[in-house]
Amino acid sequence: MNVTRRPTIIDVAHRAGVSKSTVSLVLQNSPSVREETRALVRRVMAEVGYVYNRAAAQMRMSNGGLIGLVINDLRNPFFTEFATSLQMSLAERGYTTVIANTDENPVLQHQVVGSMIEHGVSALIICPAYGDTFATFDALARGGIPALQMLRQVDGRLDLFPLIAPDYLAGSRAATRHLIAAGARRIAFVGGLEGRAVTEERKAGYLEVIGQEGLAPIIMTGKASRAFGRDAARQIFAEKSGVDGAVCFNDLVALGMVSGCHEVGWRVGDDFRIMGFDDIEEAAQTYPTLSSVHCDIAGIGVRAAQTVAEWLENGVAPAGETRTPVRLSLRQSSGPAAGLQPSGD
Amino acid sequence: MNVTRRPTIIDVAHRAGVSKSTVSLVLQNSPSVREETRALVRRVMAEVGYVYNRAAAQMRMSNGGLIGLVINDLRNPFFTEFATSLQMSLAERGYTTVIANTDENPVLQHQVVGSMIEHGVSALIICPAYGDTFATFDALARGGIPALQMLRQVDGRLDLFPLIAPDYLAGSRAATRHLIAAGARRIAFVGGLEGRAVTEERKAGYLEVIGQEGLAPIIMTGKASRAFGRDAARQIFAEKSGVDGAVCFNDLVALGMVSGCHEVGWRVGDDFRIMGFDDIEEAAQTYPTLSSVHCDIAGIGVRAAQTVAEWLENGVAPAGETRTPVRLSLRQSSGPAAGLQPSGD
DNA sequence: TTAGATAACTGGAACGATCCAAGCGCCGGT
DNA sequence: ACCGGCGCTTGGATCGTTCCAGTTATCTAA
């Protein structure tokens, strides 16, 4: 349909009466080109509808500022909020981000990472899927591509693949303590698949506090989904075991439990107290509003962008493990707590 | 850190004792290379850790199978479900997908589309943000890049930028009729920003049926968010105007209304009847489960992949406007309807 | 026996940018 | 009058692939 091929810098150069090198310098905003020349070249570019050919440039340059973001579950708002923040922050520093979704599938993840390496990403930020991932990370190591593990640790080589994650342990400790302070006595830990690093960490904080207080732990692990949370609430209701509060693996589970409580007629925050984890935007907008462990998702995105930019620009690998602080966002679902100031919106 | 540069096909060729052309042919799975040679080359590739350099290839080929997907709101599950399905479907056909988020910002959208063109995408699938988009689409037109408008029509040139969208009109007609059949008499249309194509279309179906039945229309347009839905429910309750049902702009608004109803003590499906639109996964998992207009998001993703693949491979542009069928997923929020079989899960 | 077809492989010329060393005026200082 | 430096511009080499027009060697048909 389009007979004429795309114009190149050579076409622009001819038309402007300069050399292709000059055009290239203009593209790179080099200070060593005269202002009038720059303006002329720019004008000609607009006239002929020149578009930059990144593939050609990237082939010559070892390092074109392309950064890959691998997300394991685009359906979880936590990850999309993170992706949004990261992408904006990287854009400010002049990097382009490509996003891909692995849907928690390690095979797909392997493909996706391979494809990104082929596209010549200079670094990778990866929220890894669990499973057989050694080969995937090995490919990154062999290619000498800087890669950050975000939010979850899947590969043990923290020196090669540093981890940035919220301080889950402190978060679940604080959440559990808060439920106790609010008056709950039989508190369950609900959701999260057994054996996974994040689940174990969040569970550990819960168990620690429960132990300190001499209470009995109640563990209900399972998928981190709304459906599981809803079923868990129904089950707790049916068993009449006196459970009166839940520290949830994440906000999705917590929101599921809220639905389940509505269904069985419990009043959340009164008959039953719920703490979420992650503090996604939706938490402030449901009824009742959801108390949660606020992880400053956007802040983590900014920090990840900063870390990877410094890694690329100064060549210095970040520390093996970075934990970002968390705080509680206390709202309605955990009930009124004597002597505690609710924070969050 | 990595002193040796990446191996190229030339390194592989030397090591395998063949020419670079042969290696290239192996990469392309050409049938005109002997089976043993192919195996040999493959083995050497694995040995030296060869990775394909897409930038170099793409520079030579006009058309590398890279497809850009531009999404206006990654936080809306509707779009992420669509993205997931599309990406998988394209992967099956050998295309790679790059996703970018515009956050409903036409300026960001312009940047993002520009960046994708620079990266040499051979086609674009775009869920466009509203606003000043003419320049953006013009850049696509000038570059002769096939682009599909998905779910929303923003640019009028349907011959250049065909539209694929669900049959919103039929959907809102059916939704309104169902609420009437379920016994609601004062039905509001809630959410969606005034003046936007999708809002107008969904509203039109509602108005049509309301008019036919001789009922009074009640329009409450606004942001398509949970927060707006919640506020709308509160307001309806406060006004005591006898409104007993709502056709919502989308599921997010509907879920917000469900929250609002819980808050004011209304029983959804009984005191107040709600129909959503889109039928996101969450609709089946809240309490009460949400009746909605099912748009077969995954199916649309598959169809989009197919359309764009055929466009690229046969060079034949698809029809200007494609409407995909919708059906109702009747669940609890719209209440029991005499003589109607609930469908959906 | 030989011409022609076929199968398997090869060398060089693209592709469109970046980078480098060099070139060209022009000015000021000796 | 000459040299060095500075500001701006330039031609050619280069990156790693694909594509095209050969070049063998082997096979088939007359």
Side-chain angles (χ1 to χ4, degrees), chain B residues 58-102:
Chain B
Q58 206 170 46
M59 179 179 141
R60 187 79 233 281
M61 297 183 299
S62 47
N63 179 355
L66 184 64
I67 290 181
L69 172 60
V70 178
I71 298 254
N72 53 310
D73 183 9
L74 261 186
R75 283 183 266 253
N76 186 338
F78 182 78
F79 290 107
T80 58
E81 286 176 28
F82 170 70
T84 307
S85 147
L86 180 79
Q87 185 172 31
M88 290 187 177
S89 197
L90 282 174
E92 277 171 17
R93 293 162 197 269
Y95 293 96
T96 319
T97 315
V98 300
I99 307 177
N101 181 25
T102 65

Side-chain angles (χ1 to χ4, degrees), chain A residues 54 118-119 226 262 282, chain B residues 54 118-119 226 262 282:
Chain A
R54 252 205 166 68
E118 287 180 3
H119 275 98
R226 289 181 204 263
H262 282 147
E282 190 183 338
Chain B
R54 254 205 162 70
E118 287 180 4
H119 275 98
R226 290 181 202 261
H262 281 147
E282 189 183 339

